[in-house]
Amino acid sequence: MRAMRLSRHRPRLVLAATMLAVLAIPACGSESGSPESGELSQRPTHTPVKDEKKAAQDAYTDGYREGQAVREEGGKGSSVREVVWGGCTRRALRAGQKAEADRGAWVSGCRDGVSENARHLPSGQVTKRSHDRDVLQRFHAWLSATGKRSVRAHVTRLTLVELHRGDYDIELTTDYSPTGDDGPTVIDLAQSFVKWWDGDDGDGTAWNVVVRGAGGEKLAAKSL
């Protein structure tokens, strides 16, 4: 599925990403199948600050090995697919707990591994997270205008997750429960965001939307 470019939203994305501190991504368990499956995963745990460097380096190393394996299996063409067309960013969503500890570091490792670059272990947390109230309000307005006001009330936060030099995921925090009957509604929410997101040209690329529960659980993910 094609990537959607950050343009109309981009000015605020840059401002938010540069002004807010780098935070650790909540970690969650591995997810089987495609990141579009909408399957539930384990509740994440937060990485202590003192362990951020190790978590980043472990994630990078894990991603590097995955990239090497993809290169060995798919040859030179796999590098274009994984780097240019966002393959590594999509793989990171289902790569397990090491990746979720620092998804940006995992993506960087994957890109280096599949491109046969030398290893460049990060010196600290790579993933950058920032909240964007303006984009959230616009999405809220669209949900109301399209008859989904009841869904709007459950979306409490929109987070920009910068993974690698302008490659983003977008996360929607909700109050949905991973153990309730909200599965179909959660998947519909992710699909609604894909439909609404209409960026075209810009400096950054948003690759995926991830829907999380109130406790940080990954409930669903869709490609943008």
Side-chain angles (χ1 to χ4, degrees):
M1 192 176 290
R2 66 187 179 89
M4 306 298 280
R5 295 285 176 178
L6 304 178
S7 62
R8 184 155 59 91
H9 307 305
R10 178 62 179 173
R12 292 186 179 274
L13 302 195
V14 173
L15 179 61
T18 54
M19 292 185 67
L20 294 180
V22 176
L23 302 177
I25 277 190
C28 62
S30 60
E31 180 182 37
S32 61
S34 165
E36 296 191 12
S37 64
E39 295 178 358
L40 304 185
S41 65
Q42 299 174 354
R43 294 175 67 93
T45 57
H46 295 279
T47 305
V49 174
K50 66 180 181 180
D51 294 331
E52 284 184 355
K53 179 178 179 180
K54 184 179 186 304
Q57 292 184 346
D58 287 348
Y60 177 94
T61 300
D62 197 59
Y64 193 93
R65 290 171 181 161
E66 177 71 10
Q68 285 182 312
V70 171
R71 176 68 176 235
E72 290 174 4
E73 180 178 349
K76 186 181 296 185
S78 60
S79 178
V80 175
R81 182 176 65 250
E82 300 299 315
V83 174
V84 178
W85 299 110
C88 282
T89 65
R90 305 197 199 288
R91 289 176 186 277
L93 283 176
R94 58 182 188 269
Q97 196 165 17
K98 283 186 179 179
E100 283 302 292
D102 192 338
R103 208 153 73 235
W106 196 98
V107 170
S108 295
C110 177
R111 290 166 65 108
D112 283 344
V114 79
S115 302
E116 296 186 319
N117 294 334
R119 296 179 186 235
H120 296 93
L121 289 174
S123 58
Q125 191 82 13
V126 175
T127 308
K128 299 178 181 178
R129 299 169 64 85
S130 57
H131 307 313
D132 195 311
R133 292 181 58 84
D134 179 71
V135 178
L136 175 62
Q137 288 170 358
R138 280 188 254 168
F139 182 50
H140 275 170
W142 181 84
L143 287 172
S144 295
T146 53
K148 296 184 178 182
R149 186 179 297 273
S150 60
V151 175
R152 164 182 172 165
H154 294 280
V155 184
T156 58
R157 178 180 295 174
L158 184 148
T159 304
L160 312 175
V161 184
E162 186 175 8
L163 304 174
H164 184 279
R165 299 176 185 175
D167 285 342
Y168 285 82
D169 282 346
I170 295 176
E171 294 187 353
L172 303 177
T173 300
T174 71
D175 59 5
Y176 291 124
S177 169
T179 58
D181 299 324
D182 300 321
T185 304
V186 167
I187 294 174
D188 180 67
L189 170 60
Q191 292 171 334
S192 295
F193 189 88
V194 172
K195 182 178 180 179
W196 173 76
W197 186 256
D198 63 349
D200 43 29
D201 296 317
D203 297 331
T205 303
W207 292 101
N208 309 287
V209 58
V210 180
V211 180
R212 294 193 179 275
E217 310 91 346
K218 182 168 58 181
L219 304 182
K222 290 285 183 181
S223 298
L224 291 170

